[in-house]
Amino acid sequence: QVQLVESGGGLVQAGGSLRLSCAASGRTISSYTMGWFRQAPGKEREFVVGISWSGGNGYYADSVKGRFTISRDNAKNTVYLQMNSLKPEDTAVYYCAARASAVVHTTATEYNYWGQGTQVTVSS
């Protein structure tokens, strides 16, 4: 079992930045694909970005390309999401997810483990 705990959410003005962290425990995530999803009120959970076990550049949703950056530190069993140039439409609960796979998946149902989420609110 993998336990995931997100942190770093908060309230920020449009144009600002936040850095989310996802700390894993229970197992090392070095062989897991990691993803970030978000869910706004009344909307379905949507894929934001994913990164394979080997790292690399990540695979981003078009809505966040050029603004968000995912990274992972397998030694710390942690994944990060740097969010810059935030917009009000980025407001959502952000979830970290994990799957024992070498391939980045963009569908929520493909992930086996989830964190509890962290709220990100961007004011205009």
Side-chain angles (χ1 to χ4, degrees):
Q1 294 291 328
V2 177
Q3 292 80 43
L4 303 172
V5 178
E6 303 96 335
S7 62
L11 173 64
V12 64
Q13 289 188 332
S17 298
L18 282 174
R19 188 194 194 204
L20 305 184
S21 298
C22 172
S25 61
R27 288 187 178 180
T28 177
I29 60 170
S30 59
S31 60
Y32 284 73
T33 285
M34 303 298 295
W36 285 96
F37 288 75
R38 65 187 182 186
Q39 189 166 17
K43 295 188 177 181
E44 294 186 354
R45 192 168 297 189
E46 66 171 353
F47 173 79
V48 176
V49 60
I51 188 168
S52 69
W53 65 270
S54 60
N57 295 328
Y59 183 82
Y60 296 84
D62 288 342
S63 58
V64 305
K65 278 182 182 177
R67 300 188 298 121
F68 290 12
T69 303
I70 190 172
S71 61
R72 64 188 300 161
D73 186 337
N74 287 340
K76 295 184 177 180
N77 234 28
T78 301
V79 178
Y80 304 97
L81 181 61
Q82 178 67 44
M83 305 186 296
N84 299 328
S85 302
L86 282 162
K87 305 175 181 180
E89 51 264 43
D90 294 318
T91 295
V93 177
Y94 282 71
Y95 296 91
C96 177
R99 175 186 169 94
S101 170
V103 178
V104 174
H105 299 270
T106 62
T107 305
T109 53
E110 297 285 351
Y111 289 81
N112 308 107
Y113 303 102
W114 291 86
Q116 83 289 347
T118 185
Q119 177 70 48
V120 171
T121 303
V122 184
S123 63
S124 57

